Amino acid sequence: MKADPTAQAALLELQAQDSMLAQLQHRKLNLAEHAAITELEVQVKELDGQRVELDTEVSDLTREQKKADAEVELVRNRRTRDEERLNSGAITNPKDLESLQHELVALERRIGTLEDAELEVMEKLEDAQRRLGAVEADLHSLKADLREKVTTRDAAVTVIDEQVKDAQAERASSTEWIPDDLLAVYDKVRAQYGGLGAAALRARRCEGCRLEINGADLRELGSAPDDEVLRCPECSRILVRTPESGL
C-alpha cells in the first residue's frame, strides 16, 4: 500500500488519540465509586429486606396488642357489671349471690392472665419497634452514603465524558489527513492487536511490540520508498518511520 509520508505520520497522532480514548473509557469503567456504589446497593437491599420484615412484625404485634387490649377491656367490663349487680342489692337469692361471687373470682383470674399476655405482647412490640428504628436509621445513613457516592461518580463521569468529547473532536480532525484506504487498514489492525494499529519506528525498535528489528528486516525496510506503508515484521502493526528510526 502507498500513502503520503505526511498521512503516515498522522497515524501516530491518530493512534495517540485512540489510546487516550481507550484510557478514558477504561478510567470511566473502573472508577472507584463503581465498586463502592455496588457494595452500598447490596447493603441497602439487604437492610431494606430486614426493614420490611420488621415492619411486618411490628404490624402483626400491633394488631395482636389491640386484640389483647380489647379482650382485657371486655372482661373488665363484665367484672364491672357483675360488681354493680352484686352491690346493688337486687340479687337476694343466696345461690345466685354465690354464683355471682364465683364468677367475679373467675373474671379476676381471667383478667390477670390476659394482662400478663398483654404485657408480653407489649414488650415484644416495643422490642420490634426498637429494632425497626435502628434498621431505619442505618438504612437512612446508607442511602445518604449511596447518594453521595453516586453524585461523586456522576461528576467524575461528566469530566471524563467532556474529555472524550474533546478527544473525539481531535480524532476527527486527524482523520482528515489520512486516506480512507489507509484509515481502513489502520482500524482493522488496531482491532486485531489490542487497540494499537500504528507504531513509530525509533532506534530500530517498533514501539508497538517493543522489539528491536533485526538487521536483514531493517535493511529491507530502509530500502522501501518513502510512500510505502510499512508493517512491523514482528507484530504486523503499521510501522511509521521517524527521523530517529535508525534506517
Side-chain angles (χ1 to χ4, degrees), residues 11-136:
L11 284 178
L12 295 180
E13 182 64 27
L14 182 62
Q15 180 62 71
Q17 291 154 357
D18 283 333
S19 296
M20 173 62 72
L21 285 168
Q23 290 169 7
L24 289 171
Q25 181 66 14
H26 181 270
R27 191 188 310 166
K28 181 177 178 178
L29 293 175
N30 292 276
L31 288 170
E33 288 78 12
H34 288 317
I37 287 170
T38 298
E39 182 178 353
L40 283 170
E41 286 175 339
V42 170
Q43 293 178 13
V44 166
K45 183 178 180 180
E46 180 181 347
L47 208 56
D48 194 53
Q50 295 178 26
R51 181 196 61 79
V52 171
E53 292 177 0
L54 285 170
D55 189 61
T56 301
E57 183 179 349
V58 167
S59 297
D60 291 344
L61 287 170
T62 299
R63 285 193 298 270
E64 189 175 343
Q65 184 182 11
K66 288 180 179 179
K67 180 181 177 182
D69 291 344
E71 289 179 348
V72 170
E73 186 65 22
L74 182 66
V75 178
R76 283 175 178 169
N77 290 338
R78 176 65 180 273
R79 181 187 63 182
T80 299
R81 289 196 301 271
D82 285 354
E83 286 176 342
E84 289 174 348
R85 288 177 62 201
L86 182 65
N87 296 329
S88 68
I91 301 175
T92 56
N93 187 296
K95 288 186 177 180
D96 291 343
L97 285 172
E98 184 180 1
S99 176
L100 186 57
Q101 289 170 342
H102 285 315
E103 182 174 322
L104 283 169
V105 172
L107 289 173
E108 197 65 38
R109 286 198 301 267
R110 177 61 177 162
I111 289 172
T113 301
L114 290 174
E115 286 178 339
D116 288 343
E118 182 185 33
L119 181 61
E120 183 179 351
V121 172
M122 187 182 302
E123 290 174 347
K124 289 182 179 179
L125 176 58
E126 289 176 352
D127 178 66
Q129 289 172 332
R130 177 188 57 76
R131 288 184 282 120
L132 176 60
V135 167
E136 287 177 336

Side-chain angles (χ1 to χ4, degrees), residues 156-176:
V157 167
T158 297
V159 171
I160 292 173
D161 285 344
E162 287 298 323
Q163 293 173 337
V164 167
K165 184 178 178 181
D166 292 342
Q168 287 174 335
E170 292 178 5
R171 185 186 195 279
S173 178
S174 295
T175 57
E176 295 177 1

